[in-house]
Amino acid sequence: AQSVTQPDIHITVSEGASLELRCNYSYGATPYLFWYVQSPGQGLQLLLKYFSGDTLVQGIKGFEAEFKRSQSSFNLRKPSVHWSDAAEYFCAVGRGNTGKLIFGQGTTLQVKP
Amino acid sequence: GAGVSQSPRYKVAKRGQDVALRCDPISGHVSLFWYQQALGQGPEFLTYFQNEAQLDKSGLPSDRFFAERPEGSVSTLKIQRTQQEDSAVYLCASSPRVHYEQYFGPGTRLTVT
């Protein structure tokens, strides 16, 4: 069965430090990959997506992600974290004829001042 | 432009009551999805509409859950005889086409007491 794994439940980084959130997927075909962010009480906002082409994808708010087929990974990175980045981050795979999303369990990011 | 809206934002139901949750997608979006997000978990797919046709309802957890989109725009998710395990945030998302980014609403938090 297709699945998405986010190994880190909770990550704490200092403001200004770099960030990497891990995502591994299990999916036979070429995946459609997404990163979403969710702030408390809010819906999901798309940070970036990968469909094909360049494996390094740029998104909003200074985030980027790299698709590595050999490692079945799509890790999210940011060179310098801001306090406003504290939120829940979800990796997702779009699958099937409908494009329904399969989400990981999420990573909670805490930012220390 | 207006995003995806959902109502009510919060709903408290006594066990055994029926509830109806509404989703107004972005105008012109063909695809509409419903997801269920339990506390501390990633969203899980419930059902998918393409215009008014419900093409995938494989994620609906029981026959107490029913969704419709009669005119290909507004959608309603109905839960009959609510149970405590139905307590969750119900997210609606729309998309202009298949395998494209999904735009999420703020969700409806359902609490069954």
Side-chain angles (χ1 to χ4, degrees):
Chain A
Q2 290 80 11
S3 68
V4 178
T5 302
Q6 293 180 245
D8 304 305
I9 305 281
H10 192 111
I11 283 185
T12 300
V13 300
S14 297
E15 190 168 16
S18 64
L19 172 70
E20 182 169 29
L21 302 182
R22 296 182 291 164
C23 173
N24 293 95
Y25 64 90
S26 168
Y27 190 56
T30 300
Y32 299 90
L33 296 163
F34 305 82
W35 274 99
Y36 281 86
V37 61
Q38 186 176 38
S39 298
Q42 303 296 313
L44 295 161
Q45 181 183 23
L46 181 71
L47 287 176
L48 45 78
K49 60 184 182 284
Y50 173 78
F51 285 2
S52 64
D54 193 347
T55 56
L56 185 62
V57 179
Q58 302 297 319
I60 63 171
K61 303 184 180 184
F63 286 93
E64 67 178 25
E66 186 170 13
F67 170 57
K68 293 185 177 180
R69 183 186 301 276
S70 62
Q71 298 177 20
S72 297
S73 69
F74 188 56
N75 294 349
L76 181 71
R77 301 194 294 248
K78 186 170 185 177
S80 178
V81 169
H82 188 263
W83 64 267
S84 61
D85 293 325
E88 187 87 13
Y89 290 80
F90 293 97
C91 179
V93 170
R95 63 153 297 204
N97 294 329
T98 65
K100 64 187 177 185
L101 297 177
I102 308 299
F103 285 88
Q105 67 184 66
T107 298
T108 301
L109 174 64
Q110 182 178 3
V111 180
K112 294 189 302 184
Chain B
V4 178
S5 62
Q6 293 185 245
S7 61
R9 291 292 311 277
Y10 303 91
K11 177 69 178 178
V12 178
K14 292 186 177 179
R15 192 173 58 185
Q17 284 186 329
D18 298 347
V19 298
L21 312 180
R22 176 187 170 106
C23 172
D24 282 85
I26 294 173
S27 177
H29 278 196
V30 168
S31 296
L32 187 146
F33 301 81
W34 283 98
Y35 295 87
Q36 180 190 58
Q37 185 176 21
L39 189 64
Q41 301 296 316
E44 293 190 353
F45 170 79
L46 292 177
T47 188
Y48 166 73
F49 289 87
Q50 186 174 80
N51 296 308
E52 68 278 4
Q54 188 176 20
L55 299 185
D56 187 345
K57 52 183 180 179
S58 62
L60 296 176
S62 77
D63 57 8
R64 296 185 295 103
F65 286 71
F66 172 76
E68 60 184 6
R69 193 187 185 196
E71 297 179 357
S73 179
V74 171
S75 177
T76 304
L77 176 67
K78 298 179 179 179
I79 308 173
Q80 296 177 324
R81 304 180 304 281
T82 53
Q83 304 295 314
Q84 280 197 316
E85 61 262 29
D86 300 334
S87 295
V89 175
Y90 291 84
L91 295 166
C92 175
S94 71
S95 178
R97 57 182 184 266
V98 178
H99 286 305
Y100 197 74
E101 65 182 89
Q102 295 179 24
Y103 298 84
F104 282 81
T108 295
R109 180 177 297 278
L110 172 65
T111 302
V112 181
T113 61

